């Protein structure tokens, strides 16, 4: 299908200072957990997006000074020649595909704990960090200001040497330049504090110095949260005033909203923010500048992108998450392959994985972060050496669907994907029906389209297979992907035992599946949703039931409501949202018994109390549906005599995990199904320094 001519505008080149972008798709800076520590992963991850058509790919925050260290949170550190060499690899990868490479030079100011460097954080004023309350910075003296600016210039020159085309003087989300600009951080009374022009001085001076040093060779970009949507930054009018002040020094305005503490409003989860939501604020930046503007807002729809460019609001379509979910989005638009676009679902699992000691991964794109480590390409699949076999995949949940698709793409003779239910999707049949999670249905939608296209994959819905049915199916390779279910006895990580009286066959005790799939309603009015998991399920059920008129209390044995949602930037907004809907929230409570009409419990100090409740929904832990797998495994002879050569299992059927891991597991098995022992993942490439014993002195 040819591209819709309305989208042609997205493929026009755009000039930024001395550089030209080949089209209007721009991967804005975003975290990966790679930084300069894992140069191979960094280079291949960004390079994949360049190959997929993004005209620019940028690093995450790249810290110019040692006292700006966020370790153990992994950022890019741009301090010495080793960092330069490591990041040069990323530039080479970007240039291989005619894309520009950008580096987001910055300084963390008040927020940097500098655990590795063991130096104090520095900031405009001595005010405890709102990002990390335990950090109280040193007030910067004139020498500190000069030193950081000199570090910035040194880093900018090194960035040019490494091959970067776009160099940032990044300030927002509440990094050092914005800390100077915002009275929330800046209480100085010298030339760098007080009036707006004084507060802008640090940023403007740094821009001037960087421009003087490299402005002929590199484009100078500023990233600015034009509206903090909270205290930690500037309001829109001040944001626009700064843009007017600094405009002559800047080649590209990269604009967004939020702050370091209100990052949840920048990387907004689909639960609360719809596609293009940032335009409400960043759509006004044009009032202040005629220079190129790039904005973000989890855009995946090319019609919307073209409209934005045509309206004159932005020149470039920025993306972090849409480029993670589909590195080939621009190429797919260019080729008119619209149905192939793997749209981001806005779950922020990428944030969870990049920020919390791991490295980036994605629910929709199992290959994200695995480009170097495992050599995976999101669009290329090697023919399997055992492709002449038939494969049976039992269970069409996220893991089974993904596995069947990859097996299909690897050219297997026939892949049979069988599910007991009439609808495919497994747990993703009901999760998107929880309030706010509608966009998560994209997990199934994209896979349904793929399955329909693959002629060697046959989907058989509405057929429950037992062990005999599997053995006699006629497939040589069998993959069990039967998923998991919520425990009906209230066991939690704290007790490892059932709660007395918790039995989901009783009318007043329910599991999530009973509510969502079987349509069971709690008897009476007062419902307790009891959470031992801390992610979206309990909160979602509480909101759903409250919306249906029940008086709902969300009770958790964890010491906070939905703490896992903090990792996906949803937590604070979610707790407020539940509160606004009249849902009671009680954390640190252990249920000790469930009876008709009431529950017994203990509080965080072990004091016993009771709550009145007509029903309890148990969201305590999931259990793998492994009976079928175990029965098959128990009789290897029976498998062999029916011609089954190998039996594997994937996804929640192995151990209940987040959807991203179930999909990854299905993908992994299919990629490695012709390895020596496909049940065990092949080793991945690690990136660490390996020293000879002689070199430690
Ligand atoms: P995962 O997240 O690992 O993919 P899910 O629980 O989402 O797991 O999906 C498991 C799927 O397996 C469900 O759609 C379920 O209907 C299906 N299933 C479970 N047991 C059988 C079986 N014996 N035969 C066919 N399908 C099954
Ligand atoms: Fe989008 Fe979720 Fe993937 Fe992040 S993890 S890119 S939010 S689908």
């Amino acid at each position: 299908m040819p591209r819709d001519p309305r989208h042609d505008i997205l493929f026009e080149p755009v000039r930024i200072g001395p550089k030209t972008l080949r089209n209007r798709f721009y991967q804005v800076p975003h975290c990966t957990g790679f930084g300069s520590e894992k140069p191979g992963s960094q280079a291949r991850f960004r390079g994949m997006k360049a190959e997929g058509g993004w005209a620019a790919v940028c690093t995450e925050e790249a810290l110019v000074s040692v006292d700006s260290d966020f370790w153990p949170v992994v950022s890019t550190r741009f301090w010495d020649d080793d960092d330069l060499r490591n990041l040069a690899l990323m530039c080479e990868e970007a240039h291989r595909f005619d894309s520009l490479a950008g580096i987001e030079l910055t300084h963390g100011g008040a927020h940097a704990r500098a655990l590795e460097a063991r130096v104090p954080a520095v900031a405009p004023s001595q005010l405890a960090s709102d990002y990390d309350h335990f950090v109280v910075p040193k007030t910067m003296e004139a020498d500190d200001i000069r030193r950081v600016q000199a570090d910035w210039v040194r880093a900018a020159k090194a960035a040019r040497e490494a091959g970067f085309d776009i160099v940032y003087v990044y300030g927002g989300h509440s990094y050092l330049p914005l800390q100077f600009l915002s009275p929330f951080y800046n209480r100085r009374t010298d030339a760098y504090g007080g009036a707006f022009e004084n507060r802008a001085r640090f940023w403007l001076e740094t821009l001037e110095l960087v421009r003087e040093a490299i402005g002929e060779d590199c484009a100078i970009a500023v990233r600015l949260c034009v509206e903090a949507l909270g205290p930690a930054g500037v309001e829109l009018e001040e944001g626009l005033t700064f843009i007017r002040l600094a405009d002559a020094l800047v080649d590209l305005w990269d604009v967004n909203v939020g702050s370091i503490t209100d990052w949840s409003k920048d990387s907004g989860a689909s639960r609360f923010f719809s596609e293009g939501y940032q335009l409400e604020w960043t759509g006004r930046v044009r009032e202040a500048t005629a220079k190129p503007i790039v904005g973000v807002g989890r855009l995946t729809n090319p019609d919307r992108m073209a409209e934005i460019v045509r309206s004159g609001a932005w020149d470039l379509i920025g993306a972090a998450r849409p480029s993670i979910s589909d590195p080939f989005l621009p190429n797919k638009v260019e080729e008119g392959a619209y149905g192939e676009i793997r749209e981001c679902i806005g779950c922020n699992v990428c944030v969870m994985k990049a920020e919390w000691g791991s490295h980036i991964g994605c629910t929709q794109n199992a290959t994200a972060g695995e480009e170097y480590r495992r050599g995976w390409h999101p669009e290329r699949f090697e023919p399997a050496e055992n492709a002449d076999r038939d494969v049976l995949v039992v269970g069409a949940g996220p893991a089974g669907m993904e596995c069947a698709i990859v097996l299909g793409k690897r050219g297997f003779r026939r892949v049979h994907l069988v599910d007991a239910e009439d609808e495919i999707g497994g747990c993703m049949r009901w999760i998107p029906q929880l309030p706010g999670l509608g966009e998560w249905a994209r997990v199934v939608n994209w896979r349904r389209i793929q399955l329909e296209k693959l002629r060697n994959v046959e989907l058989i819905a509405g057929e429950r297979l037992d062990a005999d049915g599997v053995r006699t199916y006629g497939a040589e390779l069998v993959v069990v992907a039967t998923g998991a279910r919520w425990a009906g006895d209230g066991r939690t990580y704290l007790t490892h035992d059932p709660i007395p009286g918790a039995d989901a066959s009783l009318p007043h005790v329910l599991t999530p599946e009973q509510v969502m799939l079987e349509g069971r309603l709690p008897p009476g009015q007062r419902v307790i949703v009891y959470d031992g998991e801390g992610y979206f399920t309990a909160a979602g059920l509480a909101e759903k039931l409250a919306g249906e008129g029940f008086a709902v209390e969300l009770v958790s044995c964890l010491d906070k409501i939905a703490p896992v949602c903090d990792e996906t930037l949803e937590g604070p907004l979610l707790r407020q949202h539940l509160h606004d809907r009249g849902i009671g929230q009680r954390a640190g409570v252990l249920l000790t018994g469930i009876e008709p009409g009431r529950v017994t419990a203990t509080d965080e100090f072990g004091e016993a109390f009771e709550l009145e409740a007509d029903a309890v929904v148990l969201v305590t832990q999931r259990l793998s549906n492994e009976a079928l797998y175990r029965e098959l495994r128990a009789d290897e002879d029976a498998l062999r005599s029916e011609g089954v050569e190998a039996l594997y299992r994937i996804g929640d059927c192995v151990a209940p995990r987040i959807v991203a891991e179930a999909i990854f597991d299905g993908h992994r098995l299919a990629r490695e199904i012709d390895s020596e022992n496909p049940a065990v993942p092949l080793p991945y490439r690690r990136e660490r320094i390996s020293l000879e014993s002689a070199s430690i002195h």
Side-chain angles (χ1 to χ4, degrees), residues 321 324-325 344-350 361-364:
R321 290 171 294 172
I324 299 166
S325 178
C344 165
I345 69 169
C347 62
N348 281 354
V349 161
C350 48
C362 169
T363 303
Q364 278 282 61

